[in-house]
Amino acid sequence: MRGNPVRKPILYAATIVVVLGIAVLVWHFVLGWDPFGTLGLRTRVHVLCAATSAGPAGEIVESISIVTIDRGWVGVLFVPADLWVKSGDGTFGKLGEVAAREGWPAACRALVPLLGVSVSRYVAIDAEDLSAFLALFPQVLVSVDDPVTGPDAKGSGGPAVRIDAGNRTLGPREMLAFLRGTSRASRAARDRRAFEGILRSARSAPT
C-alpha cells in the first residue's frame, strides 16, 4: 500500500478535509454532485488528514484524523498524534514521529493493524494553509469547554491569544489559536468543536 500525496492545485480541497474534521465540510457539499465517477472513488475510501507546523527540529504533527468517504455519507475519526504504533522497521513510536521520520505513507501503513482498514490516501497541510482556510469564515460560533491560550497567528511573536470558556464567536486569528493552543480540553475535542462551528457557519452562509 502506498499513500498518494495531494498536490498544490487541489490544496484548498485538501485543507477542508483536515483534522479539524474540516475534511467533512468539502465532501459534505461535494457529495451532492456525485464526484465519485469523476474522481474514481466508487468504493469506500479512508484518508489520513493531518495538520502540521514548523518547529525548531523540523516538522511538528499537531493533529491527525481519518476521514472515511463513501456514497451518501462521511465519517471522521480523530486520532491522537502521540498514538503508539509499530513502524515499518518493527520499532514502536508515536504516530506523529513516525510520519515526521519516515513519511506519511509509513504513517498510513502503521494505522492499518489498529484500524483494520486500508488507509491509502493522505493530506497534510501546514499552519499557513490552515490560516487561509479559516479566513473563509470571518465569524464562527464555538462552544469552548475550557479556557485556551494559543499562539499568535503564524507565530508572529505577538501577544498570546486567550479564549475563555463558554459560547464564543471566533475570528480566523482566534480559531487558529483555539486549535493550536494549550488547554485542559484535548486537541481532538477542540478539533470536533471547531468542526461543528465551521459546519454550522457553512450551512447558514448564503448560496
Side-chain angles (χ1 to χ4, degrees):
M1 179 193 70
R2 297 181 64 185
N4 301 319
V6 177
R7 293 183 170 82
K8 207 68 175 180
I10 54 173
L11 187 56
Y12 269 77
T15 304
I16 302 177
V17 289
V18 61
V19 140
L20 296 179
I22 293 175
V24 178
L25 197 58
V26 164
W27 289 103
H28 172 78
F29 293 109
V30 173
L31 280 173
W33 307 339
D34 189 21
F36 299 100
T38 302
L39 301 181
L41 304 181
R42 295 186 178 278
T43 59
R44 184 176 299 178
V45 176
H46 307 282
V47 184
L48 183 152
C49 304
T52 67
S53 63
E59 183 181 63
I60 298 174
V61 180
E62 297 191 344
S63 67
I64 299 173
S65 62
I66 303 299
V67 177
T68 299
I69 306 166
D70 202 349
R71 284 186 178 273
W73 64 275
V74 178
V76 179
L77 173 66
F78 294 99
V79 180
D82 59 357
L83 180 68
W84 206 251
V85 297
K86 186 177 182 179
S87 62
D89 60 6
T91 60
F92 289 85
K94 296 179 181 179
L95 180 59
E97 294 175 350
V98 170
R101 184 177 66 251
E102 302 180 26
W104 287 109
C108 290
R109 291 191 294 270
L111 283 172
V112 172
L114 297 177
L115 302 179
V117 297
S118 174
V119 183
S120 58
R121 292 171 170 80
Y122 64 88
V123 174
I125 66 169
D126 58 22
E128 182 177 352
D129 298 321
L130 182 57
S131 297
F133 171 75
L134 294 176
L136 300 175
F137 301 91
Q139 291 187 321
V140 178
L141 180 62
V142 177
S143 178
V144 181
D145 298 317
D146 286 285
V148 178
T149 301
D152 184 42
K154 300 183 182 180
S156 61
V161 178
R162 164 87 179 184
I163 303 170
D164 294 323
N167 292 325
R168 304 294 176 191
T169 300
L170 306 181
R173 177 173 176 265
E174 291 77 19
M175 277 291 287
L176 189 63
F178 176 71
L179 292 169
R180 302 183 64 201
T182 57
S183 172
R184 290 187 300 175
S186 69
R187 177 63 188 263
R190 282 178 282 148
D191 285 350
R192 185 171 62 253
R193 290 298 193 189
F195 159 67
E196 292 169 350
I198 290 172
L199 187 56
R200 281 194 300 268
S201 295
R203 284 174 170 169
S204 61
T207 57

